[in-house]
Amino acid sequence: MTRHESFAAPATARRRQRRGPGHYAARAGLVLLALAVLALPFYAATEYYLYQKYMSTQVATAPVELTSADTDSWAAKIKSLPATSAPVVLAYHDIGHNKSSYVVTPKAFEAQMAALEQAGYRSLTTDEFVDYLKGGPAPPRSVYITFDDGPNGLWVYGDRILARHHMHGTVFLITGRVDRRPYYLSWNEIKRMAGSGRWDFQDHTHDLHLRGAVDAAGHTASMLANRLWLKDENRLETREEYEGRVTADIKRSFADFADHGLPKPQVFAYPFSEATEKVNVPSPGPTLQDLMNRYFAATMTNDSSRPLTAGRRAASARVVQRLEVVRTTKLDHLMSDIAEWTQVAPSDPAPLSHPARWTRDDGTGQHGIGALTGTGPAPSGSAHYVAADYRDMSSVDWTGYRVDATIGGLGDGTNQGAVQVRGGSLEPVDVSVSQGTLLLSVKGKHVGQAKLVPATTHRLRVTVQGQTTTVQVDGTVTLRRTSRRAAADITGGIGIRVGINRSGAAWPRFTALAIKQLTGAFPSSGGARQSVTDAHLMDPAAQWLSAPGVKAPFRISHTAIEPTGRTLSAYGAYQPGRTQGWTGYTVTGTVQRLSGPGVSGAIWVRVGSALAISVQVGQGQLNVLSGDADNQQLVGTRRLTPADSHRVSVTVTGGSTEIAVDGSVRMTLMARSETGGVAYSAYRDMTRHSWPTVGDLKMTPQVGS
């Protein structure tokens, strides 16, 4: 073959040689497309399987219609409660048809949410709840609805029920168990729940909601609350090993939240409600609560050695006690319990006439206070002691009150009667009188004693103010004790006790008892008193506080006071502690940006007294309330011509509070010379609504006052 012949080839071969790279790319694309078409059914089936596995179908539940028979038993109690007060925290576990005692049926949960809605309750988000614990104002009648563990029933049943009744839920997740089907929620479901705005998610450990061995005998306890037994090394964990294990678990749970786009949790719920009181971690050194305080604003428990319902005492302790709801919880009992847990003012002119409000705590298992008043059977057998507490769950934040008691039947010098104040606190105070002796005790230890003029009846006055307890007997003998503890750690209500030292002795009896509220929450600032004449309410440099030492969340200019932050309520008092003696003044201002029926603003007067007055205006409604920022009662309402702003004027004199809105709607309330300054508060039902502001807020002294 010649050199030229070597280049000769068939025409087909020459055409094949001319095919470029595009030809092969096209053929490869066709092959891939064919493979994709063949794989599509398998991919769709896999995705559907995963969706079914990690996204359960929600079950529609039937609405519950509550009848009057359902509501009559609690309606009167709810109506008598304060319009604003510390929220009650509810603790649920699961919703479904499992027979476990911790599983509430969808029908029961539906009825409970319907009852709360009908009674005028709203539910808080965690942001709102934490804002309150940090010193924010008490919200309108509210509950904080929580669920432990993160079971799947919350998505399947609970979500639609919350939506129907406009409620919000908080779930404490064990993050290491998310996606463990079928019991626990999936991350897909959690994402949908968080996106709805009906739920937020908080911490319940990554994987320490377990019991582990805590000694060589194999006894088990909470793995979070206790050092574990290291079997291979025949010893307990050291404190350092324990703290490292707990810290690692918390940080792992935080990483789980972040990896799935959830905000960092602010609140922690103890597994098994086992906290600092039930651990084998030695002292001295950081407690479990100390460890939690490094990471969380508050912790939750269903079991506490002293009442810690949500409030100022619980905020100080960083532990909040919850009202647990289980399968056997009856609706009327739940509503009654919520009423009994709601904080009320320390005021009752005749608490002995309300026996249902008392709880016996003397270990006898008896009920009623007849044995303490002489109106019922005296204790029998070997009993030498009778005791009862008044409103033990709704008085945990009491301070600024006075107790007047008359104790009779002190016949032979061996029997005694006592009043306890600051009940359930870290330093309960007992004031005991016998025929001729007064004893003052703190936590059972005598701290003061005085001789009395011997008598069979003594009149006792105990005043609780801040950190000081003052005792008077028969108007003359006085003992006083001031605690070194923080004021929030020594708040609490009252109890009464009677005792005999020998069998057969006559029992003393309480013949009279009264509780009177004294001043409001703000103590004297120690600075110069502010005069009405010198008050400049809209001075940006003026001091506005929401609680002692807590700056109000206000943006203040010379034209308006505007709340800030992503909460639903805001409160601030002007120069508190320096204005408590104010009287004889008129405060005027225009409440603006009333953008909807759920938005309102209030101008307050007599702030610092137990009967401060709040003049609250919405688009078409005037509500007047009486009480301090933590506890108010509705005392009057009027309809207003609907508008997005209203001009409010309030005149304070020794004998009355005169209110005018827009110069036409008027109301007059009688007063008993209560004095005090001014405040502004605002409320909105949704964070997407703008805050209502107050403009042109001015003080004018009354001539001759």
Side-chain angles (χ1 to χ4, degrees), residues 51 54-59 94-95 150-161 171 181 184-186 188-194 196 198-199:
Y51 178 85
Y54 294 110
M55 203 75 203
S56 303
T57 301
Q58 290 188 315
V59 175
D94 194 7
I95 303 169
N152 177 251
L154 306 186
W155 165 254
V156 173
Y157 300 104
D159 183 59
R160 291 191 176 187
I161 294 172
V171 185
R181 311 297 270 174
Y184 292 99
L185 291 167
S186 69
N188 288 346
E189 291 164 345
I190 290 168
K191 181 179 180 180
R192 288 279 294 274
M193 292 165 75
S196 73
R198 285 186 292 277
W199 302 87

Side-chain angles (χ1 to χ4, degrees), residues 3 15 73 89 134 174 244 274 286 303 305 355 361 378 430 440 452 457 484 525 533-534 539 587 615 636 668 699:
R3 182 167 60 88
R15 286 197 298 271
S73 62
V89 185
K134 289 181 176 180
I174 308 169
E274 292 186 10
D303 182 22
S305 62
D361 69 342
D430 287 282
L440 186 64
L452 304 177
T457 298
R484 294 181 180 180
S525 64
T533 305
D534 295 334
D539 179 357
V587 57
V615 181
T668 299
M699 294 286 298

Side-chain angles (χ1 to χ4, degrees), residues 495-518:
I496 56 177
R497 288 88 170 93
V498 294
I500 57 175
N501 291 337
R502 58 181 178 83
S503 299
W507 285 88
R509 59 187 178 276
F510 280 80
T511 59
L513 186 68
I515 308 167
K516 181 179 180 180
Q517 186 174 12
L518 301 178

Side-chain angles (χ1 to χ4, degrees), residues 310-323:
R312 304 310 177 193
R313 178 199 286 184
S316 177
R318 305 278 287 274
V319 183
V320 179
Q321 187 176 350
R322 300 181 293 180
L323 177 59

